[in-house]
Structure formats: structure tokens, C-alpha cells
Amino acid sequence: MQSEQYQVKELIKQIIINFEEILTPAEYKRGEVVHHSSNTCNKIFIVKSGILRSYYFQNDTDITAHFAMDYSIVGAVDSIMKKEKSIYSIEALEDSEVLVMNYDEMETFLIKNPAYEKLARQVSQFLYLDLVERFEGMMFLTAKERYQHLITRYPKITQQVSLGHIASYLGITQETLSRVRKLT
Amino acid sequence: MQSEQYQVKELIKQIIINFEEILTPAEYKRGEVVHHSSNTCNKIFIVKSGILRSYYFQNDTDITAHFAMDYSIVGAVDSIMKKEKSIYSIEALEDSEVLVMNYDEMETFLIKNPAYEKLARQVSQFLYLDLVERFEGMMFLTAKERYQHLITRYPKITQQVSLGHIASYLGITQETLSRVRKLT
DNA sequence: CGCCGAGTTGAACTGAATCAAGAAACGTGG
DNA sequence: CCACGTTTCTTGATTCAGTTCAACTCGGCG
């Protein structure tokens, strides 16, 4: 687990080095909406510092899909893969330093540099494993266990993100999270 | 959704045509264990007919991770990606016709034929979207809704697979599934 | 000072799990 | 082809984690 995390970070750093020519640096202010849902968005955001959050609405409730910080990545997966309008929005929760990659440019880049295909594939595989882990968390862990798991993995997250955002990310209500973390 | 399903099937058929030289046909009998957990297994199984099931144990309970039939694929994801022993086993629930691909051979094949990288990536992206959909089902849908969603997508599955396997796939108990489907 | 968003607390409610028995279906051997 | 044991499925009673709704607290900040 820990080592796995480490590997992903290393892979992202490899990406930053090798894909440099198609990466555009950007800075976002706290509260800034980086991508607004219902637009198509084929960009991938690599977060160097700060924190981005992707979210969507499910019956008028704001649901956090993903947090990205410290050399992890976020994007409007649906839009990238299906070339459609996205249900996700992405915002900066803190002032953030980001590298932006256009997915189409990446495809072109990879055609010219097939040696990097493997690197791209490895990243997507780790994203997949991450999701498997989260999925299994949803299936088998209690609210409390999910929260503990999260803060073990991202100890600083409670300082950066509001309770409600964390709760929706974990698939529980804010009230439950409030109760659950009190007795930790 | 429906069209998305369709696309994946088409992609798999493309794979069957273009990756022919690294695909080995196999037939498995009903009940046959195709891969046993705690071995490493870097094989991907493309199911042409019949049905395979991957599963693992969580506190001595048999949990279905995935079903594969009708040009969908299954493999021990963890083992393939991490090159470790797998927690998954894979068995045939019916007599099945399968094409087996060795992941390492695929990597070599793709180095020689980088033109097919995109196809491989597309497949893995659809697997990812599938998992996102299942994840959201776990978060937002009731037991009943999850079941209905499953039989809409795979109408024949109740004839092929036992209740218990379906229940664990949906993340509910067999008793709940029994009750829930009675009043449908 | 009073408002406002974020977090907490309480009480009632509910979907699903658990535990425990039965009923049906299934296949294997006599 | 029937009888028996084994799985598979159903049904009931109880319990529990988490939701919902509503009120309340706290710490800024105009």
C-alpha cells in the first residue's frame, strides 16, 4: 500500500520529466473553478502543490469524486474517455500549482514517442487499482473504517478540506462523519 | 450505456482479430478452476461463450469480483499489475470457450506493434469506466436498484449464475437479494 | 453586534445484516 | 427411477449502522 503510493508518485514524476513538452504550468487560486461541468474537458491536471477537488451533483447533493494533491492527478474522466460533456466540475481548494496536459496532445505525443506508452499505461493501471481499493472500501468497510483509512493515507486532509467534502467522498453524510471521528 | 456496452464488445473483437498471434484458444468445463488464488497469473481471459467468474475471500466469505461472458474479459488484475500472487480465483460457471492472452507477451507484442497501443488503452479505459459505474452503484443505489440495473444489463444472468454469487457481486447478502427480487 | 457557514448533537426512522429454520431443486448412486 | 444428501433459495424475527430532519454551537468577519 504505502509502497504502491510511492510508486505512483514516482511514475507521475517520470511523466513530468518525459512529457515536459506537452505540459503547461498553471496556478489556481483557492476557490477557483478549474473546469465547469457540462463543458467537455480533455485536460488532465497534475497537482504539484495545493489541492484540487472534482465533484458532481447527485440529486442536488454535491458529491466529491476525487481529491488530487502532491503529485497526484485529476481530470474529467468521463469527458476524456467518451469525448462528451462532463458531469464533473473541478475546483481548487487551496492556491495550487498545477501542470495541465491535453489528452489529445498526449495521444499525438505517444504516436511520435511510443516508448512512453508503457509509462502512460502504468499510470492508468494504478488509477484503476486505486479505484478497486475505494470500491472495496465502499463494500466492506464501515463509515469509521473508511475515515480512518483516509486519514492514514492523507493525514493532512482534515486541515485542507471541509468535513462535508470528505463525507461525500467517503459515501456518508456529514453528520455521520462528525459522530464517527469524535470517538477516534 | 447500451451503446457503450456495444463499443466494448467491438473493441474486444478488434483485439481478437489484431492480437491473434498471441491468443491461445481454450475450453473450460463447468466448475473448472481456471486460475487458483495465491498463484501469480498474468493471463487475460476473453470469453467467447459460456461464463467465467472471478472471486476472492473476505473473512471466509466468497465474494464475486467479476463476471465475464459474451466477448468481455476477466483476469487477476492485482497479479497482472503488481506481478504478485493473486487474491483472486477464476472459475468457469458453464462450459466456456475462451481466448487466453499472456500479459507479458502482450507487452512484447505492443513494443513490436505500437500501432495497437491505442486499442489496448481503449479497452483499459472502458474497464475503468465500468468500475466507476459499479462504484457509483454501490454509493447511491439500493439493493433493489442494483439488482434491477444488473438484470437490465445482463438479462440472462439469473439463468446462469446462482443467487449467492450475484448477491456478493452486488455487495448484499443472499437473503436480501432473495427478498428484493420477489417484489420486482 | 449580528449574521453566516461549518460543525455538532439528538431523536426517530429505515434498509439491510444477521441468525435461525424450512422448502425446493439437484444430482448421484443404488 | 426413486431415495437421499447436498446445495440453493426463501421466509421470519431481531438488531444495527447510518440517514434524516431539526435544532443548536462555535468561530470568524462585515
Side-chain angles (χ1 to χ4, degrees), chain A residues 1 13 105 142-143 163:
Chain A
M1 234 314 294
K13 289 188 176 174
E105 281 178 32
T142 62
L163 251 207

Side-chain angles (χ1 to χ4, degrees), chain B residues 97-108:
Chain B
E97 277 182 284
V98 177
L99 294 170
V100 185
M101 183 198 292
N102 184 298
Y103 191 80
D104 300 332
E105 281 179 33
M106 186 189 81
E107 299 242 28
T108 319

Side-chain angles (χ1 to χ4, degrees), chain A residues 27-35 49-55 68 89-98 160:
Chain A
E27 299 206 353
Y28 300 111
K29 290 273 162 228
R30 171 167 216 256
E32 192 173 345
V33 175
V34 169
H35 154 66
S49 71
I51 180 162
L52 299 191
R53 175 179 89 100
S54 71
Y55 60 99
S89 296
I90 301 176
E91 64 175 9
L93 298 179
E94 292 179 347
D95 296 357
S96 304
E97 276 182 284
V98 177
Q160 301 174 293

Side-chain angles (χ1 to χ4, degrees), chain A residues 58-85:
Chain A
Q58 178 78 221
N59 313 323
D60 296 327
T61 314
D62 173 324
I63 305 288
T64 298
H66 196 70
F67 297 113
M69 65 278 233
D70 190 31
Y71 295 91
S72 62
I73 69 182
V74 63
V77 232
D78 57 346
S79 197
I80 291 168
M81 294 188 186
K82 298 193 245 173
K83 313 283 177 205
E84 288 168 2
K85 291 175 177 177

